[in-house]
Amino acid sequence: MQRLGPARLVLVRHGESTGNLADRAARSAGAARLELDERDADVPLSETGLEQARALGRHLADLPGTATPTAVASSPYRRGADTARTALEAAGLRLPVLHDERLRERELGVFDGLTGTGIRAEYPQEAARRQYVGKFYYRPPGGESWCDVALRVRSFLRDVGARPATDRVWIFTHQAVITCFRYVLDGMDEEEVLALDARVPMANGSTTTYRRGPGGVPELVDYASTAAVRSQGAQPTEEPDHAGREAVS
C-alpha cells in the first residue's frame, strides 16, 4: 500500500460538463457518437457544472482555517481546471493551482466520442477483445488501460508524499483517475476495484477524502460524497457507466 505524506488529500470530480450532457443525449437516442465539436481536453463545464463548482467554493469558505487547502492541483483539461478555478474564486482563496498532466482524464484513443453502440458497430473486434481481456487491463487502440492511469497516479503520489505532513492537498480531476487513486491508496486488486466502480456512482462535484494515519498509512474518510455540493444548495449529477468521453469503462 502506498503511503500518504500530507495530513489530508481531497479528490474532487469536476463539475458536470457539456460532454456529460452529450453522452446522455447520445445514449438516450441510441446514437453511435456524441455530438461534440471540441477535443476532450477543451470540453467546458455546463451551467449546472459551474453551479456545482461554486457550491464547492462556498463549502470551502465555510471550512475552519485548519481544514482549508494548503495546496491545489488540477487536471489540465478545461472541465477540471475550471472547476478548481471557480471553486477557489467562490471561496475567496488565493492559492496557485498546479496543472498536472498526470491528473488528466483516461485517454480513450479511437473510442473517444463513441458510445457503446458506436464501438460495437465500428470496432467489433476490439469490443470482443475488451470483453475477453476485461475492463481493468484492456487498452483501446491509441488509448490507456486503467493500469496506465494507475501508473500516473503512483507517480503523482510519490511527489505528493514529499510534501509536509501538515499539508492539506485538494485535487480536481476525473472519475477514472479518482477510482485509480482508490486502487493505489487502498491496495486493491482488479476484482475489488471493479466491484467498487460497479457499486458506487461518482457524481460530478463529489469529494473523496483521505487522512494520513499512523506511519503515513492512508485512511479513507469518505468516498464519492455529495455532501459538500448538497450542503450549499446545488444538485450533484451522475451518469451510468459508458464508453464515450469521460468514461471509465
Side-chain angles (χ1 to χ4, degrees):
M1 180 181 293
Q2 189 137 0
R3 302 288 173 172
L4 188 63
R8 218 157 184 89
L9 183 70
V10 182
L11 306 163
V12 183
R13 188 185 176 202
H14 63 79
E16 180 189 73
S17 74
T18 58
N20 294 135
L21 296 177
D23 182 79
R24 288 178 208 147
R27 285 187 291 110
S28 178
R33 186 174 291 274
L34 282 61
E35 291 189 12
L36 282 172
D37 295 326
E38 305 95 343
R39 62 177 185 158
D40 196 23
D42 298 328
V43 171
L45 295 175
S46 67
E47 286 302 317
T48 297
L50 283 168
E51 180 51 36
Q52 290 164 347
R54 295 185 195 106
L56 286 166
R58 295 191 294 270
H59 167 74
L60 284 171
D62 285 347
L63 293 175
T66 54
T68 54
T70 58
V72 178
S74 169
S75 162
Y77 281 21
R78 181 177 173 183
R79 55 191 180 272
D82 282 358
T83 302
R85 176 184 55 79
T86 302
L88 291 176
E89 287 177 354
L93 294 175
R94 296 185 177 180
L95 285 172
V97 178
L98 171 66
H99 295 139
D100 194 311
E101 69 282 350
R102 291 173 294 184
L103 300 174
R104 74 188 188 279
E105 178 61 291
R106 178 185 161 218
E107 302 281 357
L108 296 177
V110 298
F111 290 175
D112 183 37
L114 291 175
T115 63
T117 298
I119 291 171
R120 289 186 292 273
E122 296 188 28
Y123 300 98
Q125 290 183 324
E126 285 299 322
R129 189 167 74 88
R130 178 187 177 281
Q131 184 69 25
Y132 174 73
V133 173
K135 184 174 181 176
F136 186 75
Y137 290 109
Y138 174 75
R139 179 187 291 129
E144 295 178 296
S145 68
W146 279 29
C147 293
D148 295 321
V149 179
L151 286 172
R152 292 201 250 125
V153 166
R154 291 186 192 279
S155 171
F156 182 84
L157 282 170
R158 279 195 293 273
D159 291 347
V160 169
R163 299 193 65 89
T166 54
D167 266 8
R168 299 176 296 274
V169 181
W170 281 59
I171 297 170
F172 293 79
T173 184
H174 307 266
Q175 181 175 1
V177 182
I178 295 172
T179 304
C180 285
F181 268 95
R182 284 289 317 263
Y183 170 76
V184 173
L185 288 173
D186 293 355
M188 291 182 172
D189 60 22
E190 175 189 8
E191 183 178 352
E192 289 170 326
V193 74
L194 291 179
L196 174 71
D197 179 64
R199 185 176 70 252
V200 183
M202 189 183 298
N204 297 108
S206 62
T207 59
T208 295
T209 304
Y210 283 91
R211 63 185 169 209
R212 187 180 190 273
V217 175
E219 296 180 347
L220 183 68
V221 177
D222 55 39
Y223 176 58
S225 171
T226 60
V229 168
R230 291 186 186 277
S231 70
Q232 300 299 325
Q235 289 299 312
T237 51
E238 61 189 50
E239 59 286 327
D241 189 20
H242 59 280
R245 281 191 179 173
E246 303 178 42
V248 295
S249 58

